[in-house]
């Protein structure tokens, strides 16, 4: 069984179909303008970060900026449009570190284009909720059936848009 990743946590909130497709190696993010813009913002901001910040890969997650001295995860996002999703993704990173014995980790959610930051903490209620989400994600992605198309306004900006709407009548 693969690990649940930060991407799967995000897709859990966006679209269960997108999550299932991604988990089952059907991927279109490389051709997405939104993904490219997010990478550009991440790569071109906070260039002054020094050796206090390191990249951490653990149990399927990849944290780009971790301040080991202060135990703070810095997560950079392009816009606060999906802020609740960003918060849960950051909490998931803290959860994974906690499960691996790293207590007292907090997070800072950064929106450089808006010049906004938010401090994020993980509560015991959050841990219970994440346990539930992880179980549901595993159940969905292990299913042989792809979740149904949701037909939302936000679908038009999704990297899977053409795939989903072309295959809408077909079984995946």
């Amino acid at each position: 069984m693969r690990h649940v990743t930060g991407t799967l946590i995000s897709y859990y909130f966006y679209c269960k179909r997108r999550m299932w497709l991604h988990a089952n190696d059907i991927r279109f993010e490389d051709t997405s303008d939104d993904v490219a813009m997010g990478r550009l913002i991440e790569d071109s901001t906070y260039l002054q970060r020094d050796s206090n910040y390191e990249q951490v890969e653990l149990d399927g997650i990849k944290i780009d900026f971790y301040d080991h001295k202060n135990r703070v995860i810095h997560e950079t996002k392009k816009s606060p449009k999906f802020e609740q999703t960003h918060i849960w993704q950051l909490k998931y990173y803290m959860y994974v570190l906690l499960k691996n014995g790293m207590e007292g980790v907090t997070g800072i959610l950064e929106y450089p284009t808006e010049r906004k930051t938010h401090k994020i903490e993980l509560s015991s209620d959050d841990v219970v909720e994440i346990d539930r989400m992880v179980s549901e994600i595993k159940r969905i992605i292990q299913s042989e059936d792809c979740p149904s198309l949701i037909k939302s306004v936000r679908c038009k900006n999704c990297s899977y848009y053409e795939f989903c709407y072309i295959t809408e009548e077909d079984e995946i």
Side-chain angles (χ1 to χ4, degrees), residues 13 43 48 55 63 78 110 112 114 141 143 156:
F13 288 95
D43 292 343
Q48 75 280 8
Q55 190 176 74
I63 299 168
K78 142 177 124 160
E110 302 169 337
E114 309 254 331
I141 66 175
S143 171
K156 290 185 180 182

Side-chain angles (χ1 to χ4, degrees), residues 10 16 54 70 75 109 112 123 133 135 150-151 156 158:
S10 289
K16 308 291 189 289
E54 48 188 270
N70 296 304
E75 183 69 12
L109 188 53
S123 72
M133 283 191 293
S135 293
I150 59 173
K151 295 186 179 181
K156 290 185 180 182
C158 178

Side-chain angles (χ1 to χ4, degrees), residues 118-135:
H118 302 287
K119 185 174 181 182
I120 307 296
E121 295 185 358
L122 183 69
S123 72
S124 57
D125 288 342
D126 294 334
V127 170
V128 170
E129 181 60 17
I130 292 170
D131 282 335
R132 186 199 62 74
M133 283 191 293
V134 167
S135 293

